[in-house]
Amino acid sequence: MSENAKWYVVHTYSGHENKVKANLEKIVENRGMQEVILDIAVPTEDRIEVKNGQKKIKTRKMFPGYVVVKMHMNDESWYVIRNTQGVTGFVGPGSKPIPLTDDEVRKMGIEKISYELDVVPGDNVKVISGPFESFMGTIEEVNPEKQTLKVLISMFGRETPVELEFNQIDKL
């Protein structure tokens, strides 16, 4: 059931992101909508700030004024979110919310999307994104847990090892 649920971006009043998240979680629980609205997140990142020689870890919102919601879009879920206190609307043209792509979800760090890749050391691959795009290389090692590979790419006349993510290559 959760396979066809998508992540949507909800616009909120700035500073109300956590209140909106709490309100939505309460509504989902009260109405028994756990099967429709699966997850609600306020993407944050930890930053190290140095103040008076002291290192402090500060958590800050990556996208102030936005909350992301994983849900099955239907009239009821749209209505519930749209009418939650602090929500100004969905991100998308008019009243039509646009779901995030898997790539956007991965880049935002909301959800780890794992890729199945049928490659072994020695396979030839083409880099399809990133700074080494369109380079050809040979896989040296595969790390399925981290979803990365070490690829030997020929540049400046010599083999150079680079670490790439699974989604950055195509098998030849």
Side-chain angles (χ1 to χ4, degrees):
M1 177 84 177
S2 70
E3 288 87 44
N4 56 7
K6 299 272 187 210
W7 284 97
Y8 293 88
V9 180
V10 177
H11 193 265
T12 67
Y13 294 124
S14 196
H16 286 70
E17 301 88 355
N18 292 328
K19 280 186 205 145
V20 167
K21 180 180 192 247
N23 288 342
L24 279 172
E25 286 169 345
K26 213 174 282 170
I27 292 167
V28 165
E29 191 178 319
N30 291 344
R31 293 191 178 199
M33 295 179 72
Q34 292 88 345
E35 297 294 312
V36 182
I37 299 174
L38 305 170
D39 198 2
I40 302 152
V42 179
T44 58
E45 64 183 351
D46 290 336
R47 278 262 163 90
I48 296 172
E49 289 184 2
V50 180
K51 211 176 207 179
N52 301 333
Q54 297 286 315
K55 279 187 184 178
K56 282 192 177 164
I57 296 177
K58 278 267 222 197
T59 301
R60 69 177 195 98
K61 294 179 186 89
M62 289 167 60
F63 310 103
Y66 296 95
V67 173
V68 287
V69 180
K70 185 173 190 173
M71 63 189 244
H72 298 281
M73 183 57 72
N74 61 32
D75 291 344
E76 185 187 13
S77 61
W78 182 89
Y79 181 84
V80 163
I81 289 177
R82 190 69 190 80
N83 292 294
T84 300
Q85 190 174 356
V87 171
T88 58
F90 281 96
V91 171
S95 62
K96 174 114 178 62
I98 303 277
L100 293 170
T101 64
D102 286 349
D103 202 37
E104 289 168 330
V105 170
R106 187 184 54 74
K107 283 179 181 165
M108 288 171 78
I110 307 166
E111 185 176 73
K112 268 286 187 218
I113 295 168
S114 55
Y115 291 88
E116 288 299 316
L117 199 58
D118 183 28
V119 292
V120 292
D123 283 353
N124 290 323
V125 293
K126 178 180 181 178
V127 183
I128 55 170
S129 70
F132 302 105
E133 188 173 344
S134 76
F135 276 85
M136 305 290 185
T138 308
I139 295 176
E140 196 173 49
E141 60 184 66
V142 180
N143 185 338
E145 291 84 43
K146 286 174 60 185
Q147 300 258 311
T148 59
L149 324 136
K150 194 175 280 178
V151 178
L152 288 175
I153 290 178
S154 180
M155 64 172 96
F156 309 122
R158 56 188 247 227
E159 299 281 294
T160 307
V162 294
E163 191 169 296
L164 300 168
E165 293 179 5
F166 279 11
N167 66 332
Q168 289 184 289
I169 60 130
D170 258 347
K171 188 175 175 182
L172 295 176

